Amino acid sequence: MSQVHAFPKPGHNHARCTADALRKAEAVCAARKSRLTEIRRDVLETVWQSHVPVGAYDILSHLNENGGKTAPMAVYRALDFLMENGLVHRIASLNAFIGCAHMGEEHHAAQFLICHSCGTTAELESAPLKRALTQAVSERGFTIDSQIVEISGTCPHCRAA
Amino acid sequence: MSQVHAFPKPGHNHARCTADALRKAEAVCAARKSRLTEIRRDVLETVWQSHVPVGAYDILSHLNENGGKTAPMAVYRALDFLMENGLVHRIASLNAFIGCAHMGEEHHAAQFLICHSCGTTAELESAPLKRALTQAVSERGFTIDSQIVEISGTCPHCRAA
DNA sequence: AGGTATAATGTGATGTTATAACATATACAA
DNA sequence: TTGTATATGTTATAACATCACATTATACCT
């Protein structure tokens, strides 16, 4: 029986999400012998400040809040590293980035639910959807390299409110 | 039995695609009492020059090839109009635009196959995929407003070559 | 420890995509 | 024909992303 992932609740203990994420990231990097340097860790931490995707320049502003002088390139490089290591996803429809909720685990695909009311974005992670997609695509003689599934709408919590 | 749409062949008579598209666009606009003005028609025609998505600034260059002085804003406004009327789609992963292959028809969803070898991009239009998606999303209590499905890979013709 | 290759970061300029804000022109209905 | 809505023109700027090259840090081999 497949587990249906819950959409992040408005009042959840988010400090825990962040702490878990950083811990997992350390583990993933250790396992892959990737180096989670200071700037990469800072960027990851910034991305994890919420479940709302953040733009690269927002991350930059956050890093420079206390007089820092990090350049855009540094942020993009850190984001590239984090994406290569499966720690962060890019949301193409928003030109923004979000922490990966399944670091180190097998990943069906990058499938996202984006609430345009509160901005909260969650991974959908549906195996049936993945299968339907694979099937439809291969029927057409096409070979998949990568995919984007981004669904905008209203999350259960905003809908209730 | 459902019709599986063919991926555009390299040597097809593309003049016909364009002519068909412009004719359909006229019909759609007439039916909706939308005005397909000169610049909008020019942009649509430019987008239809191939089955490869074009960037807004490429469209702009094309419009200005013979000394014109159209501004970016005009192109974006035309694209907005064309998208509102279902004549053009935006490919988020490429920041580019492509003519809609199903103007005026019922549309399952914006689902695209993007060949990263030749650039050719086609609408997938799979009902089972749409169903799987709707199902997965509603299970999570989420209400869909819009969706993006963009699949990158190799098209049958490039794969054969 | 020292040398050297590789990886990471710094730095400045520039490229690319998209929108804001306000002025002007055009269509078309009353 | 004149008012109103729609469309376009114009200038500036915002927002997102990369190039190219210099410098520094780290790993790892001897």
Side-chain angles (χ1 to χ4, degrees):
Chain A
M1 161 172 178
S2 97
Q3 160 84 18
V4 172
H5 226 80
F7 204 85
K9 291 208 180 91
H12 72 282
N13 180 355
H14 187 67
R16 200 155 142 187
C17 297
T18 308
D20 280 4
L22 290 171
R23 194 167 29 69
K24 279 196 200 168
E26 304 275 10
V28 167
C29 287
R32 303 183 47 152
K33 303 201 192 307
S34 290
R35 292 171 50 207
L36 189 61
T37 60
E38 191 181 354
I39 188 167
R40 290 165 177 175
R41 198 181 193 282
D42 288 350
V43 168
L44 183 61
E45 202 167 349
T46 304
V47 160
W48 269 102
Q49 286 200 331
S50 76
H51 292 278
V52 178
V54 249
Y57 279 77
D58 292 335
I59 295 169
L60 185 63
S61 305
H62 185 254
L63 296 189
N64 287 339
E65 252 169 13
N66 302 308
K69 46 185 193 306
T70 304
M73 197 64 238
V75 172
Y76 281 104
R77 284 197 280 230
L79 288 168
D80 284 346
F81 168 89
L82 294 169
M83 286 190 288
E84 275 164 16
N85 287 275
L87 307 178
V88 156
H89 294 292
R90 179 182 153 81
I91 307 295
S93 58
L94 301 175
N95 293 326
F97 304 84
I98 192 160
C100 175
H102 306 87
M103 294 186 288
E105 303 166 27
E106 274 299 319
H107 231 142
H108 283 311
Q111 307 167 346
F112 301 95
L113 296 176
I114 305 166
C115 177
H116 52 42
S117 171
C118 63
T120 298
T121 294
E123 298 193 34
L124 174 53
E125 199 68 11
S126 161
L129 172 52
K130 170 77 181 298
R131 278 196 296 273
L133 194 149
T134 305
Q135 166 74 15
V137 170
S138 65
E139 267 174 10
R140 284 153 181 87
F142 199 89
T143 309
I144 301 189
D145 267 27
S146 66
Q147 55 171 277
I148 292 173
V149 176
E150 294 175 15
I151 295 149
S152 277
T154 310
C155 77
H157 313 111
C158 288
R159 164 150 283 276
Chain B
M1 160 173 179
S2 98
Q3 161 83 21
V4 173
H5 228 81
F7 204 85
K9 291 208 180 93
H12 72 280
N13 180 356
H14 186 66
R16 200 154 141 189
C17 297
T18 309
D20 280 4
L22 290 171
R23 193 166 31 67
K24 278 196 199 166
E26 303 274 12
V28 167
C29 288
R32 302 184 48 153
K33 303 204 192 308
S34 290
R35 291 169 51 206
L36 189 61
T37 60
E38 191 181 354
I39 188 167
R40 289 167 177 174
R41 199 180 193 283
D42 288 351
V43 168
L44 183 61
E45 204 166 349
T46 303
V47 160
W48 269 100
Q49 285 200 332
S50 76
H51 292 278
V52 178
V54 249
Y57 281 76
D58 292 334
I59 295 169
L60 185 62
S61 305
H62 185 254
L63 296 189
N64 288 339
E65 252 169 11
N66 302 308
K69 46 186 193 304
T70 304
M73 199 62 240
V75 172
Y76 281 103
R77 284 197 280 232
L79 287 168
D80 284 345
F81 169 88
L82 295 168
M83 286 189 289
E84 276 165 15
N85 288 274
L87 306 177
V88 157
H89 294 292
R90 181 182 152 80
I91 308 296
S93 58
L94 302 175
N95 292 327
F97 303 84
I98 192 161
C100 174
H102 306 88
M103 294 184 289
E105 302 166 25
E106 274 299 319
H107 231 144
H108 282 309
Q111 306 167 346
F112 301 95
L113 295 175
I114 305 166
C115 177
H116 52 43
S117 171
C118 64
T120 299
T121 295
E123 299 193 33
L124 175 54
E125 199 69 12
S126 160
L129 172 53
K130 170 76 181 298
R131 279 195 297 273
L133 194 149
T134 306
Q135 166 75 14
V137 170
S138 65
E139 267 173 13
R140 284 154 181 86
F142 199 89
T143 310
I144 300 189
D145 267 28
S146 66
Q147 53 171 279
I148 291 173
V149 177
E150 294 175 14
I151 295 149
S152 277
T154 310
C155 77
H157 313 111
C158 287
R159 164 150 282 276

